Amino acid sequence: MKLSRILELVKDYVVKSNLTIDIDISSISEDSRDEIIDSNTLFFAIEGSKVDATKFIPSLIERGCKTFITSKDVGYYEGVNIIQVKSIRRVEAIVSKAFYNRPDDRLKVFGVTGTKGKTTVSYMMFNGLRALGMKGGLIGTIEYRINDYSMNAENTTPGPLHIFTLLDEIVKNSCEFVSMEVSSHGLETDRVYGLKFDAGIFTNLSREHLDFHQTMENYFNAKMKLFHLIKEFNPDGIAVINIDNEWGRKAYEITKSLGIKTLTCSTVVDADIRAKNITVSLDGNLFTVSYRGKEFSTHTKMVGLHNIHNAICSLGAIVGVIGDDNIELVLNGISETTVKGRFEILRSSRGFYVVIDYAHTPDALEKTLETARAFSPTRLTVVFGAGGDRDKGKRPIMGQISANIADKVIVTSDNPRTENPFSIINDIIKGIPSDRIQKTKVIADRRKAIQVALKEAVEGEIIVIAGKGHETYQIIGEEKIHFSDYEEVVGSSYF
């Protein structure tokens, strides 16, 4: 692809350019460690929050790289193309999409956003579409997947170059769709700019990432950018909205105002897709789906009312894009979905249960504990902490919620990062009412906290271990060490 063609695509974003030669661009990179970098590489020198890649420009020139796009003035280098732009992530998206020959145009692209449920909905859509015999990809928190091949996920929503590289591979593997999580960070920082979404799903909104967004309104508006992208890049795309929460109803008003076709989902009121006759147990959910005057009896292996919301939103996206000729097949795929670390139930031979869940926000923790409480355990215990270097305001709220719902609370570490674990724990303890502090233990070592909960378990008890879910690491200081809640439980002598 000629450099001159690339410059034509992004001309509205160019601030300044020092061009010496018009070359054929044969590769694109944003990682100075890439072995592919040579004289025909276009390198995005991005000034990030942790690493300023512009400092690598001199060493990359020594390796033969001659073309750079950056967001800041880095001066002049003889014989080197330097293009300074505004909105560099948007520019990266435009260039990447063109370089990989618009792979999203050859796929049905399903994007899901919201505070909770993104991972589960992405898997439910993936499995529902696969039940129709379609090949596809998945991009999300736990993994990046192409059919049955899995790769480790670096970010919930990777950067635009990585996204279009993945989409290109998905297309090359004869896939017809991609199901992806779309985070508020990804939307706010233009990681998904230019993507042609065929369906955008909004699950819910609750307190999270306020260290980044500052206010709930900002957080909500970031989520709504998904539907503005649909309006801009695929006006025929659809929105699927869970209207059983206040933010969902606000989202519905926005999609209507944008003129986007919208399907509503509910377990409470009449909606385009309605779940009713609901039975929830530790073995899963049973319910009836009502759609266009027809009813379908179904189930989910995944427990809790929130997973019924996830299921009907997934169904709505699929029937809205693919059609409703094979709803039973789609529901079969959705119903059998399980996701690691999402209300994952482990049954002990000693007669108690452990639930491993990713809940790391006040609302998610509350919903998880309420779901567990609904099964009338002889005792409900929760083991949880809060992430360091993140929204501190949610910590006392989570402390209060845990003490109000659980019979026994063990406060421990999550990913303390560069914060003192005891400072985080103290913030949590501040929210626990004085008359409930006696049922609270502090065990900063997460491994010991889990072992104590298992050792003291009684028959019929449910122990909720919250916050990390599928994660297999703990971040302490700058170090990422191996740690898995699941492994700690199943490998324990008490289990």
Side-chain angles (χ1 to χ4, degrees), residues 268-475:
V268 180
V269 298
D270 286 337
D272 295 307
I273 299 181
R274 169 83 184 271
K276 54 187 181 179
N277 305 325
I278 294 169
T279 302
V280 177
S281 75
L282 279 170
D283 295 318
N285 302 317
L286 298 174
F287 59 102
T288 301
V289 172
S290 177
Y291 175 71
R292 290 189 172 178
K294 296 181 180 179
E295 294 193 344
F296 306 86
S297 296
T298 189
H299 72 280
T300 63
K301 283 187 174 180
M302 299 186 72
V303 171
L305 182 63
H306 59 289
N307 281 314
I308 296 178
H309 283 122
N310 292 336
I312 58 179
C313 284
S314 303
L315 176 65
I318 293 172
V319 299
V321 173
I322 305 299
D324 57 7
D325 292 338
N326 295 290
I327 286 183
E328 292 92 346
L329 282 178
V330 173
L331 285 172
N332 286 342
I334 289 172
S335 67
E336 294 301 304
T337 299
T338 58
V339 182
K340 201 166 188 60
R342 300 312 193 268
F343 213 92
E344 187 175 5
I345 301 172
L346 304 175
R347 293 168 173 83
S348 168
S349 58
R350 290 170 48 198
F352 65 89
Y353 298 86
V354 174
V355 172
I356 296 176
D357 196 86
Y358 191 51
H360 58 280
T361 68
D363 187 62
L365 183 62
E366 183 174 32
K367 293 293 192 301
T368 296
L369 292 177
E370 285 178 343
T371 298
R373 173 60 75 193
F375 300 127
S376 302
T378 54
R379 183 168 70 188
L380 176 59
T381 295
V382 60
V383 180
F384 80 105
D389 303 331
R390 298 293 187 269
D391 177 15
K392 295 183 179 183
K394 71 179 183 181
R395 297 172 186 174
I397 302 172
M398 294 173 71
Q400 182 179 38
I401 287 168
S402 65
N404 285 343
I405 301 175
D407 301 305
K408 180 178 172 183
V409 178
I410 300 178
V411 183
T412 188
S413 291
D414 191 291
N415 292 321
R417 298 184 177 88
T418 63
E419 278 194 74
N420 184 319
F422 286 100
S423 295
I424 300 171
I425 289 170
N426 285 336
D427 287 341
I428 294 171
I429 295 296
K430 289 174 185 176
I432 296 178
S434 59
D435 61 341
R436 292 185 170 92
I437 199 72
Q438 74 279 359
K439 66 179 182 180
T440 303
K441 288 186 178 182
V442 171
I443 306 175
D445 184 304
R446 193 174 181 91
R447 178 172 286 110
K448 288 181 181 178
I450 292 171
Q451 295 306 309
V452 167
L454 298 177
K455 181 180 180 180
E456 297 178 353
V458 298
E459 186 174 356
E461 181 174 356
I462 296 178
I463 300 169
V464 173
I465 304 176
K468 295 186 63 59
H470 66 281
E471 292 179 352
T472 56
Y473 60 83
Q474 226 182 342
I475 304 173

Side-chain angles (χ1 to χ4, degrees), residues 234-249:
N234 187 16
D236 293 328
I238 67 163
V240 180
I241 309 290
N242 169 20
I243 59 170
D244 282 355
N245 60 87
E246 177 189 357
W247 293 105
R249 292 186 286 275

Side-chain angles (χ1 to χ4, degrees), residues 243-275:
I243 59 170
D244 282 355
N245 60 87
E246 177 189 357
W247 293 105
R249 292 186 286 275
K250 287 184 178 181
Y252 176 56
E253 293 303 319
I254 286 176
T255 58
K256 281 201 307 181
S257 69
L258 290 171
I260 298 171
K261 179 184 175 183
T262 302
L263 292 176
T264 56
C265 300
S266 177
T267 62
V268 180
V269 298
D270 286 337
D272 295 307
I273 299 181
R274 169 83 184 271

Side-chain angles (χ1 to χ4, degrees), residues 46-102:
I46 296 173
E47 186 181 15
S49 58
K50 295 182 179 179
V51 178
D52 182 359
T54 62
K55 69 181 182 181
F56 301 123
I57 289 176
S59 62
L60 291 172
I61 291 173
E62 288 181 8
R63 289 173 56 188
C65 190
K66 297 181 182 300
T67 307
F68 299 86
I69 292 181
T70 179
S71 60
K72 69 179 188 180
D73 190 346
V74 296
Y76 172 80
Y77 293 88
E78 177 121 17
V80 175
N81 299 313
I82 303 285
I83 302 104
Q84 183 185 350
V85 299
K86 58 186 177 182
S87 304
I88 192 167
R89 284 295 191 187
R90 187 170 290 197
V91 169
E92 184 183 26
I94 294 169
V95 173
S96 300
K97 178 167 180 165
F99 183 83
Y100 287 108
N101 195 24
R102 305 174 67 89

